[in-house]
Amino acid sequence: MDLSEEDMYRDLFVQNREEIQIKKEKTAIKNLALIFDAALFISNEKGFSSMSLRDLSAKTGLSMGAMYSYISSKDKLLDMMHQYGRSMVLKVLIESLDGIDDPKKQLETTIQTHLYLSEFMQPWFYFSYMETKNLHKDLHKKAIESELFTEQIFVDIMEKGISKQIFHRVDARLTASLLKAMLQDWYLKRWKYKDRGVKVEEYSDFVIDILSSYLYF
């Protein structure tokens, strides 16, 4: 799939056009990228709750006035950051399955896609996992729903394979939860695999081998 940060920030700009005061799309996309990259860097260094908008202003080189042209508060920034990542992950996972009917191929494709996407968006994946606890009640609920939605994709594939007698009859929900934990381990403990010289392709093959030995006849 052809992914670019520019496309992701364009989608974010369109979704929040009414609140973002800058109307020139090219300028808005460029500065949204600056703000998000800086916020992810600072958050993953010392935590989102410890980051101030002045920290963000200093890191981006944007004045406080310019910052407020894009975000009205830290809460709004947190909302937009989660919105940005969730919409991209769901979009890519769903599109990756387009035209694939075989449950085995579907499962392998979603595993590979999730892992490769977590490489492409590693700072966001780490941030999303670590900062979900800081969300307000409504946003926290959305984050949990998004987590369960991606897990449900795996559940649906497994149940389809079971019904076609391609997979063993297993508890699809528990298996999907275990799979999700293995995928999370990759981006939460990236340092561990880097130290061991494990590349994303190797880890993807390993996870697929584990699932296939358990699921496939």
Side-chain angles (χ1 to χ4, degrees):
M1 299 182 70
D2 184 19
L3 287 176
S4 74
E5 286 194 343
E6 183 176 350
D7 290 338
M8 290 191 288
Y9 287 116
R10 181 178 291 107
D11 287 344
L12 185 70
F13 171 66
V14 170
Q15 291 170 31
N16 295 274
R17 192 186 294 271
E18 291 184 4
E19 295 192 36
I20 294 174
Q21 297 173 26
I22 306 300
K23 302 307 176 186
K24 190 177 289 187
E25 184 177 283
K26 187 174 181 180
T27 301
I29 291 171
K30 173 187 157 188
N31 287 334
L32 281 171
L34 270 178
I35 292 168
F36 274 51
D37 287 348
L40 287 171
F41 178 84
I42 298 170
S43 296
N44 291 343
E45 285 282 310
K46 65 177 186 178
F48 185 85
S49 60
S50 299
M51 179 189 73
S52 69
L53 291 184
R54 290 201 177 278
D55 291 334
L56 208 51
S57 173
K59 184 69 176 175
T60 60
L62 296 171
S63 68
M64 290 296 291
M67 292 283 298
Y68 282 118
S69 297
Y70 294 92
I71 52 172
S72 56
S73 65
K74 273 183 67 178
D75 285 344
K76 180 57 183 177
L77 173 61
L78 189 60
D79 182 19
M80 289 173 68
M81 291 172 76
H82 279 277
Q83 176 189 19
Y84 154 86
R86 286 196 305 264
S87 61
M88 180 54 58
V89 171
L90 297 181
K91 175 184 175 183
V92 171
L93 284 178
I94 291 170
E95 287 185 4
S96 72
L97 294 174
D98 188 38
I100 302 175
D101 295 320
D102 176 46
K104 286 185 179 180
K105 185 63 177 173
Q106 286 182 334
L107 184 62
E108 292 169 7
T109 297
T110 49
I111 290 171
Q112 291 169 335
T113 301
H114 196 289
L115 285 169
Y116 296 157
L117 188 58
S118 72
E119 282 289 278
F120 181 70
M121 298 173 62
Q122 199 277 336
W124 181 85
F125 271 81
Y126 184 82
F127 164 85
S128 178
Y129 184 90
M130 299 301 292
E131 296 297 335
T132 293
K133 62 183 180 296
N134 293 322
L135 293 172
H136 290 309
K137 185 177 179 181
D138 289 345
L139 296 179
H140 187 272
K141 182 180 178 182
K142 286 182 182 178
I144 296 301
E145 288 173 351
S146 178
E147 173 81 8
L148 293 176
F149 184 87
T150 58
E151 198 169 290
Q152 188 63 43
I153 293 175
F154 295 119
V155 172
D156 292 343
I157 292 171
M158 291 177 196
E159 289 182 342
K160 180 180 177 182
I162 291 168
S163 68
K164 291 189 172 185
Q165 298 185 330
I166 296 172
F167 296 161
H168 290 293
R169 188 163 293 279
V170 300
D171 188 319
R173 292 196 178 279
L174 286 178
T175 307
S177 294
L178 179 61
L179 171 57
K180 187 73 175 178
M182 286 192 286
L183 297 177
Q184 287 173 334
D185 199 60
W186 174 257
Y187 58 82
L188 292 177
K189 300 176 182 175
R190 189 69 186 83
W191 57 269
K192 176 174 67 175
Y193 298 104
K194 183 178 180 181
D195 287 347
R196 295 173 181 175
V198 178
K199 298 185 182 300
V200 66
E201 294 85 0
E202 295 174 72
Y203 192 76
S204 175
D205 289 343
F206 172 75
V207 173
I208 289 171
D209 284 345
I210 291 289
L211 264 291
S212 63
S213 65
Y214 180 63
L215 283 174
Y216 300 176
F217 280 110

